[in-house]
Each structure stands twice: as C-alpha cells, then as structure tokens.
Amino acid sequence: MKVSSISLAAAAASMASAMSLQWVPFVESIIEQLPLAKEESNSKLFDLHRKLVEIPSVSGTEEKVGEFLKEYLENLDYTVETQVVQESPKRFNVYAYPGEKRDTRVLLTSHIDTVPPFFPYRVEGDKIYGRGAVDAKNCVASQISALEELRAAGEIEDGDVALLFVVDEESTGAGMKFANRKTGVDSWETVIFGEPTELKLGVGHKGIALASYSVHGKASHSGYPELGVSANEILVDLLNELLETEWPVDDLLGPSTFNIGKISGGVAGNVVPAEAEALVSVRIAHDHDFVVSKIKQAAESRPRVNLDNLYSVAPQYLSYDVPGFDNIILKYSTDIPNLDGNFTKYLYGPGSIHQAHGAEEHITFSDLIDSVDGYKRLVKLSL
C-alpha cells in the first residue's frame, strides 16, 4: 500500500465496526492510491453517505435525518439554524454556515427527503444501494465533504459558503418555499443545487405539474346501474382526455409527458363505485400556463369532480458554460424555481437519475469522490 498502515487500519476498523465487512476491501482498493488527507476525507464521505441513507426520510418523515444533520454539522463547528416547516409531524430545513456570517456569497443546497418506499443501505462491488443513495443524499454528503475540504485547505473564509438542506422536494416543494420566505438571505451570488446529473452541469430541466383528482358518485347495485353514478367511469373519462391531450413541446427540453401515477376507486366488482381518485403528473417542457389550465379544465368541465391539490413549477434554464464540465439536459424537475433571487444557478451532482426512484437505486463510490471535487471547483469559481 501507498498509505500508512496505521491510518488505513484505523479507517478500515471504523468502517468495519459500522457496516458490512464487504465494504472494506473495495474502499481499501480506492484509498490505497490516495494521499493521506484524501484518504481520511473519503472515509468520512462514505461514512456520512451511509448514515444518511440508513435513516428513512420519505417525504413527510424527515425529522430524524434532520436531527442527525443538525448534530453532525454542529460537531463540525457550524452555526446551525433549523427552519420548522411543519410541527406535526415535525419537519424542518437545516441551514448551516461556518462562523457567524449567515449572509454568504455562495449556497450549496439539496434535499433530504426521498420517494417511497424505503430500501435499506447495502453495498455490492463498487455500488452503494438504498433509498436516497442517488436522489439526493449523495449530494448532501458530497456538498458537506466539499465544504469541509475547502475549509481545511484554507480556501474559504467565514461568509463565503453556506449549506441548505430542505424537506419535501419530492412532493410539493414546501421546504424550499419555506426557506425562500424565511431564510432572509439576499447575499447569494451563486446557488449550487444538488441533484443527480452524471457529474455534468445541467443546461435546463423540465417543470412539473402534480395533481390529485377525486370523484364523488353514487353507489348502487351493479345490476341496476341506472340507480347510481359511477365515480370510476367519470374518472376514466377524465384521464382519457388527459392521455389524448397534445402536450407542449420545447426545442431544447423536448416533449412534455403525462403520467397517471395512482388510481383507486370502488369497493367491489358488483357495486357501482361511489368514490374514485387519481394522482397524475405532467413533466412540463414548455408553456406552463397551458398545462395548468388543462389540468384545471378537466375537473371544472365535469360535475362530481374535484381538483384537490395542484402543485406546479415551470421549466428552468441554468448556467452551464464552465470549462472542464460536460453538460446535460434533464427531464426531471427540481426545487430551483422555488428559490427566488438574482443569482447564478448551477445544477450538479453525482449519479444518474436513471438509477433513482426504483428498487435498485444506487451510486458508485467513484462518483461520490469525483462529485466532491466538482462542488469544490464550482465554489471556487463562484468566489
């Protein structure tokens, strides 16, 4: 090995005591090629990522991961502020900065909630699996590690960089919307948003409209359907209209796409259903107003239909022309439109969105390492 046996043994022992022993051989193969300072930094990065992924934090249940981050950052001598977005169940954003200067020039931000269901942490070869492993607890761990390396090297001062980790990005954006109103910082010149971008800078990303419909019919015996009103039939007609809609197309972002995410209704095959509901989404590439209007009109034009919730954000175009970074156009949406300000916007992070939201969600060790350097470069470029 090229590193000291003492430091490597300490790192391996720490890892082995906290996780599966299968992790250690692969980590050894990485860190044996690194200088001692980088070895220690990567060990902390991997450990932080593991601890974050091991804490379930599906949207609405982020309290425990928020408490962990608060304590973790306080132990690193950050000033930590919590922004309580909801009291019951308790959910809060974490805003942290070195020293006492909360009005910084640069902000590193990502989200701490995940989509359901929770999948536990596991390692196979060079891949780390688990819910949030790539969306977006990898970004949280990498951003903290990047800032710590910059601090250790004396490359930043108090007032240069802050961290913001928000709840509810995967649902309604409530966390970032709250931060937008309550953080009270207008000094940011650059905000670096963390999402999986394959270590490339996002050129732009689609917006989204998330809608929930409910239909209230009238139950009856299925042999006498004329005595009832089928909520399912009304809902199917509504969804068919949306399926047949020609959604807007953008020259850069491509076509808007419609998805029926969840349907439920009825109680039995021989009962005309009295209630039905559906959750749908549109990934908006162009003409946000048209999409929102169409979603509303589908409910308004039908009796017995309610549009219970509608959350939408418009497509975003970002700063991306930075030497040394490749670029990527993204079909997903982010919290970027929920944070107002006249600042440069970068979207960057490790891993691919193709690996997110599924049972096999994963990130590679090498992507985690490389993203730390990417965040560091973007921070230094912004100061």
Short mmCIF file of all heavy atoms in Angstrom, two decimals, residues 200-242:
data_model
loop_
_atom_site.label_atom_id
_atom_site.label_comp_id
_atom_site.label_asym_id
_atom_site.label_seq_id
_atom_site.Cartn_x
_atom_site.Cartn_y
_atom_site.Cartn_z
N LYS A 200 -22.29 16.22 -14.55
CA LYS A 200 -22.33 17.23 -15.60
C LYS A 200 -23.15 18.42 -15.10
O LYS A 200 -23.92 18.30 -14.14
CB LYS A 200 -22.97 16.66 -16.87
CG LYS A 200 -22.27 15.41 -17.41
CD LYS A 200 -23.04 14.77 -18.54
CE LYS A 200 -22.39 13.48 -19.01
NZ LYS A 200 -23.16 12.80 -20.07
N LEU A 201 -22.98 19.56 -15.75
CA LEU A 201 -23.78 20.73 -15.40
C LEU A 201 -25.07 20.73 -16.20
O LEU A 201 -25.05 20.59 -17.43
CB LEU A 201 -23.00 22.01 -15.65
CG LEU A 201 -21.93 22.37 -14.62
CD1 LEU A 201 -21.17 23.61 -15.06
CD2 LEU A 201 -22.55 22.59 -13.23
N GLY A 202 -26.19 20.90 -15.49
CA GLY A 202 -27.48 20.93 -16.17
C GLY A 202 -27.64 22.19 -17.01
O GLY A 202 -27.42 23.29 -16.53
N VAL A 203 -28.04 22.00 -18.25
CA VAL A 203 -28.35 23.13 -19.14
C VAL A 203 -29.74 23.66 -18.81
O VAL A 203 -30.00 24.86 -18.80
CB VAL A 203 -28.29 22.68 -20.62
CG1 VAL A 203 -28.73 23.81 -21.55
CG2 VAL A 203 -26.89 22.21 -20.98
N GLY A 204 -30.64 22.75 -18.52
CA GLY A 204 -32.01 23.11 -18.16
C GLY A 204 -32.75 21.86 -17.73
O GLY A 204 -32.27 20.74 -17.93
N HIS A 205 -33.91 22.06 -17.12
CA HIS A 205 -34.73 20.91 -16.75
C HIS A 205 -36.20 21.24 -16.89
O HIS A 205 -36.61 22.40 -16.90
CB HIS A 205 -34.40 20.40 -15.35
CG HIS A 205 -34.84 21.29 -14.22
ND1 HIS A 205 -36.16 21.51 -13.89
CD2 HIS A 205 -34.12 22.00 -13.32
CE1 HIS A 205 -36.23 22.31 -12.84
NE2 HIS A 205 -35.01 22.62 -12.48
N LYS A 206 -37.00 20.20 -17.03
CA LYS A 206 -38.43 20.38 -17.18
C LYS A 206 -39.07 20.86 -15.87
O LYS A 206 -38.53 20.66 -14.79
CB LYS A 206 -39.09 19.07 -17.61
CG LYS A 206 -38.72 18.62 -19.03
CD LYS A 206 -39.47 17.36 -19.41
CE LYS A 206 -39.13 16.94 -20.84
NZ LYS A 206 -39.88 15.73 -21.26
N GLY A 207 -40.22 21.46 -16.02
CA GLY A 207 -41.04 21.74 -14.86
C GLY A 207 -41.94 20.56 -14.59
O GLY A 207 -41.82 19.50 -15.21
N ILE A 208 -42.86 20.74 -13.66
CA ILE A 208 -43.78 19.64 -13.33
C ILE A 208 -45.09 20.21 -12.83
O ILE A 208 -45.15 21.29 -12.25
CB ILE A 208 -43.17 18.71 -12.26
CG1 ILE A 208 -43.96 17.41 -12.15
CG2 ILE A 208 -43.08 19.42 -10.91
CD1 ILE A 208 -43.31 16.35 -11.30
N ALA A 209 -46.15 19.47 -13.13
CA ALA A 209 -47.45 19.72 -12.51
C ALA A 209 -47.90 18.41 -11.87
O ALA A 209 -47.95 17.38 -12.54
CB ALA A 209 -48.47 20.18 -13.54
N LEU A 210 -48.17 18.44 -10.57
CA LEU A 210 -48.66 17.29 -9.82
C LEU A 210 -50.09 17.59 -9.39
O LEU A 210 -50.34 18.61 -8.72
CB LEU A 210 -47.80 17.03 -8.59
CG LEU A 210 -46.36 16.58 -8.84
CD1 LEU A 210 -45.55 16.67 -7.54
CD2 LEU A 210 -46.33 15.16 -9.36
N ALA A 211 -51.03 16.72 -9.77
CA ALA A 211 -52.44 16.99 -9.49
C ALA A 211 -53.11 15.77 -8.89
O ALA A 211 -52.79 14.63 -9.25
CB ALA A 211 -53.16 17.39 -10.77
N SER A 212 -54.04 16.00 -7.98
CA SER A 212 -54.86 14.92 -7.42
C SER A 212 -56.33 15.24 -7.66
O SER A 212 -56.79 16.35 -7.36
CB SER A 212 -54.58 14.73 -5.93
OG SER A 212 -54.89 15.91 -5.21
N TYR A 213 -57.04 14.27 -8.22
CA TYR A 213 -58.47 14.39 -8.51
C TYR A 213 -59.25 13.44 -7.61
O TYR A 213 -58.80 12.32 -7.32
CB TYR A 213 -58.78 14.02 -9.96
CG TYR A 213 -58.19 14.91 -11.02
CD1 TYR A 213 -57.04 14.53 -11.71
CD2 TYR A 213 -58.79 16.11 -11.37
CE1 TYR A 213 -56.51 15.32 -12.71
CE2 TYR A 213 -58.27 16.92 -12.37
CZ TYR A 213 -57.12 16.52 -13.03
OH TYR A 213 -56.60 17.31 -14.03
N SER A 214 -60.44 13.86 -7.22
CA SER A 214 -61.37 12.95 -6.55
C SER A 214 -62.74 13.08 -7.20
O SER A 214 -63.14 14.18 -7.63
CB SER A 214 -61.47 13.25 -5.05
OG SER A 214 -61.93 14.56 -4.81
N VAL A 215 -63.43 11.97 -7.30
CA VAL A 215 -64.76 11.94 -7.92
C VAL A 215 -65.74 11.37 -6.90
O VAL A 215 -65.48 10.34 -6.26
CB VAL A 215 -64.77 11.06 -9.18
CG1 VAL A 215 -66.14 11.14 -9.86
CG2 VAL A 215 -63.67 11.48 -10.14
N HIS A 216 -66.89 12.02 -6.76
CA HIS A 216 -67.90 11.62 -5.79
C HIS A 216 -69.19 11.25 -6.54
O HIS A 216 -69.94 12.11 -6.98
CB HIS A 216 -68.15 12.75 -4.79
CG HIS A 216 -66.89 13.23 -4.15
ND1 HIS A 216 -66.26 12.54 -3.14
CD2 HIS A 216 -66.13 14.33 -4.39
CE1 HIS A 216 -65.17 13.19 -2.78
NE2 HIS A 216 -65.07 14.28 -3.53
N GLY A 217 -69.39 9.94 -6.70
CA GLY A 217 -70.56 9.44 -7.41
C GLY A 217 -71.64 8.99 -6.44
O GLY A 217 -71.82 9.57 -5.37
N LYS A 218 -72.34 7.90 -6.84
CA LYS A 218 -73.41 7.36 -6.00
C LYS A 218 -73.40 5.85 -6.13
O LYS A 218 -73.43 5.31 -7.25
CB LYS A 218 -74.76 7.93 -6.43
CG LYS A 218 -75.94 7.41 -5.61
CD LYS A 218 -77.25 7.98 -6.14
CE LYS A 218 -78.43 7.42 -5.33
NZ LYS A 218 -79.74 7.91 -5.87
N ALA A 219 -73.32 5.15 -5.03
CA ALA A 219 -73.26 3.69 -5.05
C ALA A 219 -74.63 3.10 -5.35
O ALA A 219 -75.68 3.65 -4.97
CB ALA A 219 -72.75 3.17 -3.71
N SER A 220 -74.63 1.95 -6.04
CA SER A 220 -75.84 1.18 -6.27
C SER A 220 -75.47 -0.25 -6.61
O SER A 220 -74.29 -0.56 -6.85
CB SER A 220 -76.69 1.79 -7.39
OG SER A 220 -76.08 1.57 -8.66
N HIS A 221 -76.48 -1.11 -6.68
CA HIS A 221 -76.28 -2.48 -7.13
C HIS A 221 -75.86 -2.45 -8.60
O HIS A 221 -76.45 -1.71 -9.41
CB HIS A 221 -77.58 -3.27 -6.96
CG HIS A 221 -77.44 -4.75 -7.10
ND1 HIS A 221 -77.15 -5.35 -8.30
CD2 HIS A 221 -77.57 -5.74 -6.18
CE1 HIS A 221 -77.10 -6.65 -8.14
NE2 HIS A 221 -77.34 -6.92 -6.85
N SER A 222 -74.85 -3.24 -8.96
CA SER A 222 -74.36 -3.19 -10.33
C SER A 222 -75.37 -3.73 -11.34
O SER A 222 -75.25 -3.48 -12.54
CB SER A 222 -73.05 -3.97 -10.46
OG SER A 222 -73.25 -5.35 -10.18
N GLY A 223 -76.37 -4.48 -10.84
CA GLY A 223 -77.43 -4.92 -11.74
C GLY A 223 -78.39 -3.81 -12.11
O GLY A 223 -79.15 -3.93 -13.09
N TYR A 224 -78.33 -2.71 -11.35
CA TYR A 224 -79.20 -1.56 -11.60
C TYR A 224 -78.35 -0.29 -11.64
O TYR A 224 -78.49 0.61 -10.80
CB TYR A 224 -80.27 -1.45 -10.52
CG TYR A 224 -81.11 -2.70 -10.39
CD1 TYR A 224 -80.70 -3.74 -9.56
CD2 TYR A 224 -82.28 -2.86 -11.15
CE1 TYR A 224 -81.44 -4.90 -9.46
CE2 TYR A 224 -83.03 -4.03 -11.06
CZ TYR A 224 -82.60 -5.05 -10.21
OH TYR A 224 -83.34 -6.21 -10.12
N PRO A 225 -77.46 -0.21 -12.64
CA PRO A 225 -76.53 0.92 -12.68
C PRO A 225 -77.21 2.27 -12.83
O PRO A 225 -76.65 3.31 -12.48
CB PRO A 225 -75.64 0.60 -13.88
CG PRO A 225 -76.46 -0.30 -14.73
CD PRO A 225 -77.27 -1.12 -13.78
N GLU A 226 -78.46 2.24 -13.35
CA GLU A 226 -79.18 3.49 -13.53
C GLU A 226 -79.52 4.15 -12.19
O GLU A 226 -79.87 5.34 -12.14
CB GLU A 226 -80.46 3.26 -14.35
CG GLU A 226 -81.53 2.42 -13.67
CD GLU A 226 -81.34 0.92 -13.84
OE1 GLU A 226 -80.24 0.51 -14.32
OE2 GLU A 226 -82.25 0.16 -13.49
N LEU A 227 -79.42 3.38 -11.12
CA LEU A 227 -79.71 3.92 -9.80
C LEU A 227 -78.50 4.60 -9.15
O LEU A 227 -78.63 5.23 -8.10
CB LEU A 227 -80.22 2.82 -8.86
CG LEU A 227 -81.50 2.11 -9.30
CD1 LEU A 227 -81.89 1.02 -8.30
CD2 LEU A 227 -82.65 3.11 -9.46
N GLY A 228 -77.36 4.43 -9.75
CA GLY A 228 -76.14 5.00 -9.19
C GLY A 228 -75.43 5.92 -10.18
O GLY A 228 -75.90 6.15 -11.30
N VAL A 229 -74.28 6.43 -9.75
CA VAL A 229 -73.39 7.24 -10.60
C VAL A 229 -71.99 6.70 -10.41
O VAL A 229 -71.44 6.77 -9.30
CB VAL A 229 -73.44 8.73 -10.24
CG1 VAL A 229 -72.47 9.52 -11.11
CG2 VAL A 229 -74.86 9.28 -10.36
N SER A 230 -71.42 6.15 -11.47
CA SER A 230 -70.11 5.51 -11.35
C SER A 230 -68.99 6.54 -11.29
O SER A 230 -68.68 7.21 -12.29
CB SER A 230 -69.87 4.56 -12.52
OG SER A 230 -68.54 4.07 -12.48
N ALA A 231 -68.35 6.63 -10.12
CA ALA A 231 -67.20 7.53 -9.99
C ALA A 231 -66.05 7.06 -10.87
O ALA A 231 -65.32 7.88 -11.42
CB ALA A 231 -66.77 7.60 -8.53
N ASN A 232 -65.91 5.75 -11.01
CA ASN A 232 -64.82 5.23 -11.84
C ASN A 232 -64.98 5.62 -13.30
O ASN A 232 -64.00 5.97 -13.97
CB ASN A 232 -64.75 3.70 -11.73
CG ASN A 232 -64.10 3.25 -10.44
OD1 ASN A 232 -63.59 4.06 -9.67
ND2 ASN A 232 -64.11 1.94 -10.20
N GLU A 233 -66.20 5.55 -13.82
CA GLU A 233 -66.40 5.91 -15.22
C GLU A 233 -66.09 7.38 -15.47
O GLU A 233 -65.51 7.74 -16.50
CB GLU A 233 -67.83 5.58 -15.64
CG GLU A 233 -68.11 4.09 -15.73
CD GLU A 233 -69.50 3.79 -16.24
OE1 GLU A 233 -70.16 4.73 -16.77
OE2 GLU A 233 -69.96 2.64 -16.12
N ILE A 234 -66.48 8.23 -14.54
CA ILE A 234 -66.18 9.66 -14.69
C ILE A 234 -64.66 9.88 -14.67
O ILE A 234 -64.12 10.63 -15.49
CB ILE A 234 -66.85 10.47 -13.57
CG1 ILE A 234 -68.37 10.37 -13.69
CG2 ILE A 234 -66.40 11.93 -13.61
CD1 ILE A 234 -69.13 10.95 -12.51
N LEU A 235 -63.98 9.19 -13.75
CA LEU A 235 -62.53 9.35 -13.64
C LEU A 235 -61.82 8.82 -14.88
O LEU A 235 -60.89 9.45 -15.38
CB LEU A 235 -62.02 8.64 -12.39
CG LEU A 235 -60.52 8.75 -12.12
CD1 LEU A 235 -60.13 10.21 -11.90
CD2 LEU A 235 -60.12 7.92 -10.91
N VAL A 236 -62.27 7.68 -15.38
CA VAL A 236 -61.64 7.11 -16.58
C VAL A 236 -61.80 8.06 -17.77
O VAL A 236 -60.86 8.25 -18.56
CB VAL A 236 -62.24 5.72 -16.89
CG1 VAL A 236 -61.86 5.26 -18.30
CG2 VAL A 236 -61.78 4.70 -15.86
N ASP A 237 -62.96 8.67 -17.89
CA ASP A 237 -63.19 9.62 -18.98
C ASP A 237 -62.25 10.82 -18.86
O ASP A 237 -61.67 11.28 -19.85
CB ASP A 237 -64.65 10.08 -18.96
CG ASP A 237 -64.96 11.06 -20.07
OD1 ASP A 237 -64.90 10.66 -21.26
OD2 ASP A 237 -65.24 12.24 -19.77
N LEU A 238 -62.10 11.32 -17.64
CA LEU A 238 -61.19 12.46 -17.40
C LEU A 238 -59.75 12.09 -17.76
O LEU A 238 -59.06 12.84 -18.46
CB LEU A 238 -61.29 12.90 -15.95
CG LEU A 238 -60.44 14.07 -15.48
CD1 LEU A 238 -61.12 14.77 -14.30
CD2 LEU A 238 -59.05 13.64 -15.04
N LEU A 239 -59.30 10.94 -17.28
CA LEU A 239 -57.92 10.53 -17.54
C LEU A 239 -57.69 10.27 -19.03
O LEU A 239 -56.60 10.57 -19.55
CB LEU A 239 -57.59 9.28 -16.72
CG LEU A 239 -57.59 9.46 -15.20
CD1 LEU A 239 -57.35 8.13 -14.50
CD2 LEU A 239 -56.55 10.49 -14.77
N ASN A 240 -58.69 9.74 -19.70
CA ASN A 240 -58.55 9.52 -21.14
C ASN A 240 -58.38 10.84 -21.89
O ASN A 240 -57.59 10.93 -22.84
CB ASN A 240 -59.76 8.76 -21.67
CG ASN A 240 -59.59 8.38 -23.13
OD1 ASN A 240 -58.68 7.64 -23.49
ND2 ASN A 240 -60.47 8.89 -23.97
N GLU A 241 -59.11 11.86 -21.46
CA GLU A 241 -58.94 13.18 -22.09
C GLU A 241 -57.51 13.67 -21.92
O GLU A 241 -56.90 14.20 -22.87
CB GLU A 241 -59.91 14.18 -21.47
CG GLU A 241 -59.73 15.60 -22.02
CD GLU A 241 -60.61 16.62 -21.31
OE1 GLU A 241 -61.70 16.25 -20.83
OE2 GLU A 241 -60.19 17.80 -21.23
N LEU A 242 -56.95 13.51 -20.72
CA LEU A 242 -55.59 13.97 -20.48
C LEU A 242 -54.57 13.13 -21.27
O LEU A 242 -53.57 13.65 -21.76
CB LEU A 242 -55.28 13.93 -18.99
CG LEU A 242 -56.11 14.88 -18.11
CD1 LEU A 242 -55.75 14.71 -16.65
CD2 LEU A 242 -55.93 16.33 -18.54
#
